[in-house]
Amino acid sequence: MEKIIKKKLLLIVSMLAVTFALAGCSSSDKKVEFDYDGNTLVQIAETQATNYMQVAQVEDVYNFYVDEEANGGQVDETTADALKVFSTIESDYGKFQQFKPVNLEDEDDKTIQEVDDKVVVTLYAECAEKEAIVKATFVDNSVTYNFQKYSVMAQNQYSEEEADQMLASNGVYPYKISEFEVAANQTLKDKMKDAGANTLIGMGIVFIALIFISFIISLLKYVPALLDKETREKRKAEKAKKALGSVATLNVDKEDETPAGNAPAPAGIVDIVNTATGESVMNDSELVAVISAAVMAAQGGKTRVRVNYPSNDKLVVRPRKKNKR
């Protein structure tokens, strides 16, 4: 029993391995599976494009085809999309005149190209203002075509050739147009103009971005000062030291002006001001005490100094005498 189960599992694994190997070896490129004639494709594309352009210019008819509520969903999506594409061709490129002739016998001609499982037909429409490029994409329609073909053969006792002719006269082929695309056929001058404009716009955006980045970088030098508390305290101490030096310099100048042999100057009133603005900076009682002590030291400790300031605690600094024991 176990041997039978092992054999079945081995068989299943082998089949899966073969399946994956075949899948890996198979080509993933899609190829066109329907037969076509190049001249017929060009004729169909030109005819349908011309019809769509004419219908799109009639407002009432155009609105009926593109409005699903108005047509009750009877118009297929491909037709509605094609009408929307061709509705602006006259306003963008001018009134349509004709399609340029196509020479499919030329080996360098790019009118018909196979893309995966589709066939793309490229036409050049001459308009009053600009030349437009019209591209029609053909896809496989062989299932619907064969069904109608054999139905016609059964009902009318037609041969295959006769059935093909009848379907072709009614516009039915083993392929159909899935979409239309319209774009301007730009000359070299137009392309250079657009390239220059895009380059200028790009350079302008880069220049503005660089200016903005430079401005942001220039502001970074203020960040440490705003975030560093010690730096702020250090600057505050430097301001206090500068104010103290200004007061000491003022007292030395007054001593130099005193005549020799005269008695020491009477007790004076000490005030602390900012030498730049002239405003009083005595808003800190501790700072006032330190500065007053410095003034006493400058007077040699012989003169009693009375300090007047706008402080509420009425702090007065007097010289201290040492008692000899």
Side-chain angles (χ1 to χ4, degrees):
M1 186 67 179
E2 292 179 358
K3 293 183 178 180
I4 296 175
I5 295 175
K6 289 181 179 180
K7 289 182 179 181
K8 289 184 177 180
L9 290 175
L10 182 61
L11 179 61
I12 293 173
V13 172
S14 301
M15 293 176 64
L16 290 175
V18 172
T19 303
F20 286 129
L22 292 175
C25 295
S26 62
S27 175
S28 59
D29 296 335
K30 296 181 179 179
K31 295 183 179 180
V32 177
E33 297 181 355
F34 54 87
D35 296 329
Y36 62 88
D37 176 68
N39 292 318
T40 304
L41 294 183
V42 171
Q43 183 180 0
I44 294 173
E46 290 181 352
T47 302
Q48 291 198 17
T50 304
N51 292 336
Y52 286 138
M53 281 187 279
Q54 293 175 350
V55 172
Q57 301 307 317
V58 182
E59 184 176 359
D60 294 339
V61 179
Y62 171 78
N63 292 334
F64 173 79
Y65 275 98
V66 299
D67 189 355
E68 293 184 1
E69 295 182 358
N71 58 48
Q74 298 179 1
V75 178
D76 61 287
E77 186 176 356
T78 301
T79 301
D81 291 340
L83 288 173
K84 292 177 183 179
V85 169
F86 287 107
S87 63
T88 59
I89 191 170
E90 185 169 336
S91 59
D92 294 339
Y93 310 103
K95 189 174 181 61
F96 170 74
Q97 297 175 349
Q98 64 180 3
F99 285 105
K100 279 187 174 182
V102 176
N103 183 15
L104 298 180
E105 296 180 358
D106 186 0
E107 294 181 356
D108 297 330
D109 186 76
K110 303 296 183 182
T111 301
I112 298 177
Q113 292 179 311
E114 294 186 3
V115 181
D116 294 334
D117 58 343
K118 306 177 182 66
V119 178
V120 179
V121 177
T122 303
L123 304 172
Y124 294 90
E126 296 180 350
C127 301
E129 299 177 4
K130 297 180 182 179
E131 188 175 76
I133 299 176
V134 178
K135 290 187 176 183
T137 302
F138 288 84
V139 295
D140 186 19
N141 189 41
S142 57
V143 175
T144 302
Y145 179 81
N146 290 331
F147 175 78
Q148 296 185 12
K149 175 180 177 180
Y150 291 112
S151 297
V152 170
M153 292 174 61
Q155 294 176 1
N156 302 304
Q157 300 298 319
Y158 286 169
S159 63
E160 289 191 13
E161 184 178 355
E162 292 174 339
D164 289 334
Q165 293 177 354
M166 180 179 178
L167 291 176
S169 63
N170 292 325
V172 181
Y173 299 92
Y175 42 79
K176 64 178 180 179
I177 297 178
S178 62
E179 63 176 345
F180 274 101
E181 296 179 14
V182 177
N185 185 20
Q186 291 184 323
T187 61
L188 180 60
K189 182 179 178 180
D190 295 334
K191 293 179 180 179
M192 293 297 294
K193 185 177 179 180
D194 292 343
N198 293 332
T199 302
L200 290 176
I201 293 173
M203 293 177 62
I205 293 174
V206 172
F207 183 71
I208 294 173
L210 290 176
I211 292 177
F212 179 74
I213 293 173
S214 300
F215 175 71
I216 296 298
I217 293 175
S218 66
L219 297 178
L220 295 178
K221 63 182 180 180
Y222 299 105
V223 174
L226 295 174
L227 301 179
D228 191 356
K229 185 176 180 181
E230 294 181 359
T231 303
R232 295 198 300 270
E233 296 294 336
K234 184 178 180 180
R235 290 183 178 180
K236 185 177 180 181
E238 290 177 354
K239 290 182 180 179
K241 184 177 180 180
K242 186 182 293 185
L244 180 60
S246 299
V247 173
T249 302
L250 178 61
N251 290 331
V252 171
D253 292 341
K254 287 183 178 180
E255 289 180 358
D256 293 341
E257 292 175 358
T258 304
N262 289 350
I269 300 175
V270 178
D271 191 8
I272 302 173
V273 296
N274 190 325
T275 57
T277 61
E279 297 179 357
S280 175
V281 296
M282 294 195 308
N283 56 356
D284 194 328
S285 59
E286 294 181 0
L287 182 60
V288 171
V290 174
I291 296 174
S292 300
V295 173
M296 288 297 297
Q299 295 294 334
K302 298 179 180 179
T303 305
R304 178 181 176 184
V305 180
R306 178 167 54 87
V307 182
N308 292 338
Y309 50 86
S311 178
N312 294 328
D313 56 4
K314 305 299 181 181
L315 176 65
V316 176
V317 179
R318 297 183 177 88
R320 181 177 179 181
K321 295 181 180 180
K322 295 183 180 181
N323 296 328
K324 297 182 181 180
R325 297 182 179 177

